[in-house]
Amino acid sequence: MAAWDLAVAGAGPAGAAAALGALHEAPGLRVALLDRAGFPRDKACGDGVAPQVLDRLAEVGVTGLLDDRVPVGRLRLVRGGRDVDRAVVRPSYVVPRRIFDARLVEAARAAGATVLRHRIRDVRIGDDGVRIDDEIDAAVVVGADGARSVVRRGLGLPTGTRALALRGYAPVPAARRGTQVIAFARGAVQPAYAWSFDRGDGLANVGYGEVLRGPGGPTRTQLLARLEALLPGATRGGTDWRGHHLPLSGARWRPPAGRVLLVGDAAGLVNPISGEGIYYAVSTGIVAGRAAARALAAGRPADAGRGYGRDARAHLFPHLRHTAVASRLIRAGPVLDAGLRASAGDQRVFDDLVELALARGRLTARVLRGLGAALLRTDPGTRPPPLQES
Ligand SMILES: Cc1cc2nc3c(=O)[nH]c(=O)nc-3n(C[C@H](O)[C@H](O)[C@H](O)COP(=O)(O)OP(=O)(O)OC[C@H]3O[C@@H](n4cnc5c(N)ncnc54)[C@H](O)[C@@H]3O)c2cc1C
């Protein structure tokens, strides 16, 4: 039976960050980083990595991770006839997860984590520790095993609102080079959008996703048709199509206390307006790793979850409340259209909305004023018809 101070279930961005957070706090810790897959491995994703992700990684000593990648400095938002094309304050990266996740796992290994290939089926919490599959014992476990988390299910926690998205790789047409394009659907419950993110190597990550309202969901054929309708030509020459669920965050997010901590998608943390989840995964992973190391150093591993919950909430609130409100506001189209009009009129409103969608921004006074003004200046096409005099 292997005994570890910390076992991390899942070696995606959340799990690798948890190992990095723990080892940065306590370099001698015995940390096992478990994953059913060998790395490099693919993961359905838009591959958009916000610069704020790199800020968080620098805090645990990981720098220069994407220095060889081409940053993308423009973001274009399209809905119907409206087209907002602006420079972003800080460029993002578009990095195939095959590359990004493998680099993070290597960074965790270099920091001292032991990377093991293991598919987790069963997690049991005892008075003295946690047992995984009758094979692995650990004082603390971090559940970082993604949207279908076995660890989360073992804790008996329900799943919340989900989105479904499909992505592929296709040649970038000239008009979409050097940019991240997001084209919102019309007549659908929002968020529902297609994207084309230039990777900088002749290919774009293209895809379509929408929030699910009730059981079932669109088929792969429907998702592909919606992508092509919103971004004509985006699917041409496409390969590597892969879909996955996204567990969207809510206003009342609270992780469980105890020896088992949940991070990233396993904790139900994907931005409900943008579908971005890597920032939350890396942030909560680092906070959880640090909290586990501190609880272990204090000789109170069963307090790790409480410390993590406090620190993670301090990091992510009130942002999570603001995204929950924003996702309700944009559910029907007019507020989303107003957001696009306000972004077209004021670079700072655009910047604030990008921060809300990618990291831990808020619905600032500037955004709310911009939305209010844009809603009052309704497009002629969406104004109600004049009353007929009888
Ligand atoms: C189509 C799509 C597009 C997206 N686009 C973006 C984007 O552009 N930018 C962005 O920031 N976010 C995006 N997201 C969200 C993002 O992919 C996730 O939020 C992010 O991957 C979460 O990281 P994680 O480490 O929590 O989980 P994951 O990345 O899912 O990693 C979980 C790991 O756990 C392992 N695992 C699972 N079960 C077990 C088990 N039983 N035993 C052992 N190992 C296990 C898996 O092999 C995997 O390596 C997108 C999601 C989808 C589906």
Side-chain angles (χ1 to χ4, degrees):
M1 186 83 67
W4 301 90
D5 296 318
L6 172 66
V8 182
L20 285 162
L23 289 160
H24 194 255
E25 186 75 22
L29 222 57
R30 290 166 303 158
V31 177
L33 183 55
L34 314 168
D35 205 291
R36 64 183 177 199
F39 285 75
R41 61 103 182 84
D42 191 15
K43 151 84 178 83
C45 189
D47 299 337
V49 179
Q52 292 86 344
V53 171
L54 302 182
D55 298 344
R56 295 284 84 78
L57 289 169
E59 290 169 15
V60 290
V62 179
T63 55
L65 196 71
L66 302 180
D67 282 357
D68 61 337
R69 305 290 307 179
V70 182
V72 185
R74 294 199 79 78
L75 174 62
R76 199 173 137 208
L77 304 173
V78 184
R79 188 163 192 256
R82 191 163 300 279
D83 196 328
V84 185
D85 185 352
R86 281 194 178 276
V88 285
V89 177
R90 299 182 65 195
S92 278
Y93 292 85
V94 182
V95 193
R97 295 287 299 274
R98 233 185 123 68
I99 296 172
F100 183 68
D101 291 19
R103 289 183 183 182
L104 281 181
V105 167
E106 269 324 298
R109 198 198 306 269
T114 302
V115 181
L116 298 172
R117 193 145 180 196
H118 180 99
R119 176 187 288 270
I120 294 150
R121 295 184 175 82
D122 180 51
V123 176
R124 281 177 203 199
I125 308 170
D127 290 338
D128 301 328
V130 187
R131 181 159 287 187
I132 297 174
D133 298 330
D134 283 331
E135 271 180 60
I136 297 163
D137 275 341
V140 178
V141 165
V142 171
D145 50 342
R148 300 198 184 99
S149 171
V150 171
V151 181
R152 182 186 181 89
R153 225 177 305 135
L155 292 172
L157 296 174
T159 51
T161 306
R162 294 191 155 228
L164 179 65
L166 178 80
R167 78 94 234 259
Y169 294 117
V172 205
R176 296 184 194 132
R177 245 173 243 153
T179 186
Q180 290 188 286
V181 187
I182 291 181
F184 293 94
R186 294 197 76 90
V189 176
Q190 297 296 333
Y193 68 80
W195 70 85
S196 170
F197 294 169
D198 186 358
R199 297 184 354 179
D201 59 359
L203 293 177
N205 180 313
V206 293
Y208 173 87
E210 63 181 44
V211 67
L212 298 174
R213 303 275 167 212
T219 62
R220 178 191 160 104
T221 309
Q222 287 168 329
L223 291 168
L224 279 168
R226 287 170 200 177
L227 164 58
E228 187 58 32
L230 288 166
L231 287 175
T235 61
R236 199 172 306 137
T239 59
D240 298 288
W241 296 105
R242 191 181 263 260
H244 210 274
H245 282 112
L246 298 87
L248 305 181
S249 68
R252 285 191 291 274
W253 181 76
R254 182 181 289 279
R259 291 173 182 272
V260 178
L261 287 53
L262 294 177
V263 295
D265 278 16
L269 282 177
V270 171
N271 190 309
I273 53 173
S274 63
E276 199 276 355
I278 298 174
Y279 176 78
Y280 294 158
V282 167
S283 300
T284 54
I286 290 172
V287 173
R290 282 187 182 140
R294 286 179 193 152
L296 285 160
R300 291 198 296 273
D303 285 351
R306 198 173 317 132
Y308 163 59
R310 188 189 53 232
D311 296 350
R313 285 173 63 84
H315 183 77
L316 288 176
F317 279 88
H319 163 78
L320 291 182
R321 280 204 195 98
H322 286 229
T323 50
V325 169
S327 71
R328 275 199 294 276
L329 288 175
I330 63 164
R331 204 171 287 175
V335 179
L336 180 60
D337 285 332
L340 263 63
R341 283 203 296 281
S343 297
D346 186 339
Q347 174 80 41
R348 293 164 312 163
V349 169
F350 176 81
D351 296 340
D352 287 354
L353 286 172
V354 169
E355 189 71 19
L356 182 73
L358 294 190
R360 56 184 185 133
R362 300 177 187 187
L363 280 170
T364 58
R366 198 157 49 203
V367 165
L368 293 173
R369 271 198 308 273
L371 284 177
L375 278 166
L376 291 173
R377 287 194 316 269
T378 317
D379 274 346
T382 57
R383 263 190 216 139
L387 287 176
Q388 299 292 318
E389 292 197 14
S390 55

